[in-house]
Amino acid sequence: MKKLIVVCLMAFGMLTNVTAQNKIGHINSDELLSDMPEADKADADLKQYQADLAQRYQDMMKDLSTKDSLFVKDSMKLSSGMKDIRRNELFELYQKAQGFQQQAQDMYQQQAQKLLAPIRAKALDAIKAVAKENGYAYVIDNAQGVLLVSPTGDDLLPLVKKKLGIKDTPASAPAKK
């Protein structure tokens, strides 16, 4: 009976120790990022960049409208060949303006990535530091639904492949040390 009690106490102690080592925390990274002072500056810079892109598009459309009005006004005086040339020019300007819309979206996304990447890295570094200081083995991001911090572990891929009978091909075979 004493042995059973001792074994139970030891098992309980081990479970308590394992549980204490694997604390799980969570954080809303979107809220953290929005509260960081750097985010306000990045947001203002992105709004200005977006306004600049919008102004450029408006200028393109204004130029297209002006040239279209001139074409309509002067079309009676133009030869057939000149009308075709001007129509092609207008069509090219229209295509350029339409292409710029997609290009502007891509440019905005790249600028956002450029401005926000260092802020996200700083936030992640702080999350990892706090997790380490407070003994959290795992930290889950509520906003993204991803695991931000976790202890290093074993790669189970080779074991699962073996269990499923999947042979490693030369490209997927692990490098030997």
Side-chain angles (χ1 to χ4, degrees), residues 50-99:
Q50 188 174 33
D52 293 344
L53 291 172
Q55 183 60 49
R56 187 169 166 198
Y57 178 72
Q58 287 176 353
D59 291 345
M60 292 174 86
M61 292 306 292
K62 184 178 177 183
D63 185 40
L64 177 63
S65 178
T66 302
K67 289 185 178 184
D68 184 52
S69 295
L70 284 173
F71 174 72
V72 170
K73 180 180 157 189
D74 295 340
S75 65
M76 297 305 281
K77 301 175 198 172
L78 298 174
S79 67
S80 175
M82 192 54 121
K83 283 182 185 178
D84 288 342
I85 292 171
R86 294 262 179 99
R87 270 193 208 109
N88 287 338
E89 288 174 355
L90 288 171
F91 183 70
E92 287 174 11
L93 282 174
Y94 176 76
Q95 284 184 318
K96 185 178 176 182
Q98 294 304 312

Side-chain angles (χ1 to χ4, degrees):
M1 183 71 173
K2 287 182 181 180
K3 287 182 181 180
L4 181 61
I5 293 173
V6 170
V7 169
C8 286
L9 287 174
M10 287 177 60
F12 179 73
M14 292 171 120
L15 285 175
T16 304
N17 191 24
V18 168
T19 305
Q21 291 176 358
N22 290 321
K23 286 172 51 176
I24 299 173
H26 60 87
I27 189 168
N28 185 326
S29 66
D30 287 347
E31 186 176 337
L32 173 65
L33 289 171
S34 68
D35 289 345
M36 292 175 70
E38 300 93 330
D40 291 338
K41 169 113 173 67
D43 188 45
D45 290 349
L46 281 174
K47 284 180 182 174
Q48 181 60 49
Y49 189 72
Q50 188 174 33
D52 293 344
L53 291 172
Q55 183 60 49
R56 187 169 166 198
Y57 178 72
Q58 287 176 353
D59 291 345
M60 292 174 86
M61 292 306 292
K62 184 178 177 183
D63 185 40
L64 177 63
S65 178
T66 302
K67 289 185 178 184
D68 184 52
S69 295
L70 284 173
F71 174 72
V72 170
K73 180 180 157 189
D74 295 340
S75 65
M76 297 305 281
K77 301 175 198 172
L78 298 174
S79 67
S80 175
M82 192 54 121
K83 283 182 185 178
D84 288 342
I85 292 171
R86 294 262 179 99
R87 270 193 208 109
N88 287 338
E89 288 174 355
L90 288 171
F91 183 70
E92 287 174 11
L93 282 174
Y94 176 76
Q95 284 184 318
K96 185 178 176 182
Q98 294 304 312
F100 181 75
Q101 281 185 312
Q102 179 61 43
Q103 183 183 7
Q105 289 175 356
D106 294 342
M107 290 167 62
Y108 178 83
Q109 292 297 326
Q110 290 172 357
Q111 184 70 8
Q113 177 64 25
K114 178 181 159 186
L115 292 175
L116 297 176
I119 299 168
R120 286 189 179 118
K122 181 179 178 181
L124 183 59
D125 289 345
I127 291 168
K128 287 179 179 180
V130 167
K132 186 175 182 178
E133 291 166 5
N134 293 286
Y136 287 96
Y138 299 93
V139 177
I140 299 168
D141 186 350
N142 293 348
Q144 311 278 325
V146 296
L147 191 60
L148 296 175
V149 177
S150 66
T152 57
D154 296 333
D155 182 7
L156 298 180
L157 181 62
L159 297 173
V160 173
K161 281 184 173 182
K162 182 178 177 183
K163 179 79 171 172
L164 293 172
I166 299 171
K167 304 273 189 227
D168 276 335
T169 59
S172 68
K176 302 217 179 200
K177 294 181 182 178

